[in-house]
Amino acid sequence: MRPCTEAELAEAIRAATAPVAVRGGGTRGQAVAGAVLETGGLSGVRLYEPGALTLVAGAGTPLAEVQAVLAAERQRLAFEPPDLRALLGRTGVSTLGGVAAENASGPRRVQAGAARDAMLGLRCVDGTGAVIANGGRVMKNVTGYDLVKLLAGSRGSLGVLTEVAFKVQAVPEAETTLVGEGFSPEAGLAALRSALGSPFDVSGAAYAGGQVLIRVEGMAGSVAYRAGQVRARIAGDWRLAEAAESAAIWQGVRDVAAFAGKPGALWRISCVPGEALAVPQALAAARVPHEALWDWGGGLLWLACPEGQGALIRSALGARGHATRLRGEESSPVLPPVSPEVAALQAGLKAQFDPRGILNPGSLG
Amino acid sequence: MDVPVPDAAILSRKPAIVARLRAVLPRDAVIDDPAETRAYECDALSAYRMQPLAVVLPRTTAEVAAALRVCWEEGVPVVPRGAGTSLAGGSMPTADAVVLGIARMNGVLETDYDNRFIRVQAGRTNLSVTGAVEAEGFFYAPDPSSQLACAIGGNIAMNSGGAHCLKYGVTTNNLLGVTLVKMDGTVVEIGGPWMDAPGLDLLGVVCGSEGQLGVVTEATLRILPKPEGARPVLMGFSSNEVAGACVADIIKAGLLPVAIEFMDRPCIRACEAFAKAGYPDCEALLIVEVEGSPAEIDEQLAAITAIARRHDPVALEQATDEAHAKRIWLGRKSAFGAMGQINDYMCLDGTIPVSTLPQVLRRIGELAADFGLEVANVFHAGDGNMHPLILYNANKPGDQERCEALGAEILKLCVEVGGCLTGEHGVGIEKRDLMGVQYRPADLEAQMRVKDVFDPKWLLNPAKVFPLAVSAGRRAG
């Protein structure tokens, strides 16, 4: 199925008698069973007002097309949606709807928020075939319930997105990354905490393999000043990566490029930054070889390890965060377990929005 | 304003209901003497008031759960109340409802500077959250103008904003987790001190649900390091259109001030008479504030004033010191008070696309003339969140109705140009019956289905947000 209008999509959902696998470009979501329903026909930028920092586009619009339209006005999506194709071994064209449905957010999450924070409004078709609009295209909107947040990151489980409105951001004049080498994981994560706890408006804070990366962006004079202040605050051997070099570094962090092509299982862990070593330490104690990359000041941990470690990872993490399985170890659930109270609310919402259970079955775990 | 007819059966069972509440709560946590419950008959939308059946003032999550459980079993509506500062009637009770006030739950439970969060009880005031962390150089960003009094629980219910949300976002962008008590007394932990949800973003839909999905008793909030400094610049322009164009140019240039506030002539005059801030006599005035070190501020303000100069400002005044900065903000911050001195007023809260600002201001002027009322405009221009103040005389028969009718027309205008009914105050009872202007029946149905999941008996703050006719079947059931 590849509907070309919202009405066609609604009709297709109403007519569906078996599970439907909703698919933007198939570049980031988990695979689910069902007849593939592609959103690529619902494409095109429908409104772009650079002076109001607002863009509205069909959910099937290629992310690259949106990025090109924004770049022409020196603007961008502040939340830096990752391109995980190399990491996950996918091909295809990432869509704006896929970004929204996965709440796909990159390194700037620590400063500018996630995809859900930039989403101003949406239209979708729920599991009964009803067309639902929520939010709008203005920056501040508390009119009724925020279903935009509920649908953001819902993995196509409640509705098929047909249109999304985003707040966008001007590309700043300058960016600089402080690159520090030779940090132990403890010292590296402490450096990230120190940077993010400073008043210098850090927009990226990552650590991997002894290397600390701290980004500042803004007007040229301000960037130079803040980079200097952060450097003075944290002892270490620093060099500065400017402009294009800095951008390339963060593209690598964003896309988890270092783990592309690695065999085994891949995990994405969201946790309290100060507890970011718990899982790697547990794996080390169990003599399980592993590699880790920390982003979001330690609040996001990408972990590559042999298959079969899901239970250990999740128990080491405990109540300090949650782990999502991205690749490998098919026997482990993709999503972490949730409390019975949360599970009941999720099941209740699923039953309301998709009473027949036909939209991306199993995508909520 | 229609109010649902109170349930006579509940009114007649008042003694039994109060006795059951007393059985599960401490002696001083249940109020049923009408002389005392009168204090809870309205919130900051004081034109509408009704005394509740009783008031409960729990101190813990367990007490909230116990009180809700009793009301759920008895089928009694509950109206949650933070500090009662809602401008939309969000915590206005009905006669058959129990008000659940969280003001006694004001403690700090945990502060964690390394991980940049604070966990508080939801009755804590907005400003005292910052108060708890500022000695360490941190602050809590959302700053509604009622921040001295308003409670975090109310901020979460209404997804409150403030003057500085242009840079820092509103409540939902600064909220990490909540302890939520559902109407049936079930306690649910949602989110936590990490940055995203593993499954559905329940936190996102709870925030801004106007106390209709559950009572938030504890909240984990993101705290931010305080910037080194801040400085405002005052700009006067010869017309609203020019000021609006200047705002659009500043935003498009990629400058990110923390605040861009806009005042029109009626508002400037009232503020000047009241606060003597030394504002220029002009058609439109902008206050733009930026943050950083002194040198960074100089750099940003140089760029901003260069843009302003292209629009031939009639005044351009940068704060030279702390006292000067305070004076520039003084007029803006006392705008509502200044208006209150001259007149009764109704404060609207629609948001519009920034590009439509001049057109909307012109149309508001025309509508005001049609209704024979005066409107003063003061608002957060950077994000298009308008606060037109309609001036009227509450003692003049018919004036309030005329004022409300004009208010409705202005909000419809906001929706017409691509905006919304409310940017930060919430729907409450005030804009409930206008919801059909912004949303189609299927859109409202989708929202109500969320309430069906959290509160299937529709007992929590039931007669709010949705037009009464639209929610009637659910509330009765």
Side-chain angles (χ1 to χ4, degrees), chain A residues 84-157:
Chain A
L84 300 180
R85 285 176 295 187
L87 181 72
L88 300 179
R90 309 270 180 92
T91 54
V93 175
S94 174
T95 63
L96 203 56
V99 166
E102 292 286 322
N103 188 26
S105 315
R108 208 176 286 108
R109 168 75 182 93
V110 288
Q111 185 226 26
R116 55 92 92 176
D117 296 296
M119 286 171 65
L120 303 174
L122 55 76
R123 296 176 65 87
C124 70
V125 175
D126 75 4
T128 69
V131 175
I132 299 166
N134 192 260
R137 63 171 176 106
V138 287
M139 300 288 172
K140 276 168 85 183
N141 185 349
V142 295
T143 319
Y145 295 175
D146 193 347
L147 303 186
V148 177
K149 300 282 186 304
L150 184 64
L151 269 292
S154 65
R155 299 161 180 258
S157 61

